[in-house]
Amino acid sequence: KAGVTQTPRYLIKTRGQQVTLSCSPISGHRSVSWYQQTPGQGLQFLFEYFSETQRNKGNFPGRFSGRQFSNSRSEMNVSTLELGDSALYLCASSFKPGAYNEQFFGPGTRLTVL
Amino acid sequence: TQLLEQSPQFLSIQEGENLTVYCNSSSVFSSLQWYRQEPGEGPVLLVTVVTGGEVKKLKRLTFQFGDARKDSSLHITAAQPGDTGLYLCAGNDYKLSFGAGTTVTVRA
């Protein structure tokens, strides 16, 4: 079974631009979560989607948004990029939401903001 | 503030030695997961522990979950260079709350 895929793998943007990242979950998985990983803050939860609905959101500004499509694929968008948004953005999928459902991560998208 | 504290932050050992990584939480989580991450890649799930007092073995890796479900440990026996990586523990309620990680380097 194919794992979680994320595109693109690398992205370079300048301050003020916006960016869209894509995630395709493991086949059959319907829950997608997004995380930001930086050297200073580690891995932090952004949001979770299930059945095209955002179920939970982490403590990030409104510039960070996402959506999920009917085939469970998800996108996240960051508008008005800031230097501090440079990070590895990770997508994780699980069969369904909940504490007992294991999350499997994709390889991530490395975003660099100049 | 990290809900989960991992120690040590860095660990460098010789091939064949044993190592233990600790994960302590200020909260009780429904389950706890351990991941290993290599540079530039996403974390890879190693194990999920759910029950207090649970011990799981995965070849040379042994995972323990404390009775109170607030602490956990990962023990690697006879470490190999392939065990090198960032080890992360994560508490799972509806989202994963990660510790800062332990960077393990196994020298050949």
Side-chain angles (χ1 to χ4, degrees), chain A residues 9-10 33 35 37 40-45 48 55-58 88 90 92 97-108 110, chain B residues 1-2 29-33 35 37 39-45 47-48 50 56 69 86 88 92-100:
Chain A
R9 290 293 310 274
Y10 303 92
S33 298
Y35 295 82
Q37 185 175 28
Q41 298 297 317
L43 270 147
Q44 293 188 295
F45 172 76
E48 177 196 23
R55 283 174 41 91
N56 296 293
K57 184 170 166 47
L88 182 67
L90 293 158
Y100 300 101
N101 289 279
E102 296 172 331
Q103 296 190 27
F104 298 89
F105 284 83
R110 170 72 63 185
Chain B
T1 303
Q2 298 277 5
F29 289 99
S30 300
S31 67
L32 189 140
Q33 296 171 346
Y35 292 84
Q37 184 179 24
E41 298 296 328
V44 174
L45 179 65
V47 78
T48 298
V50 176
K56 281 193 174 179
R69 291 164 56 215
L86 176 67
L88 295 156
N92 195 348
D93 34 31
Y94 60 88
K95 62 177 174 65
L96 293 175
S97 298
F98 283 88

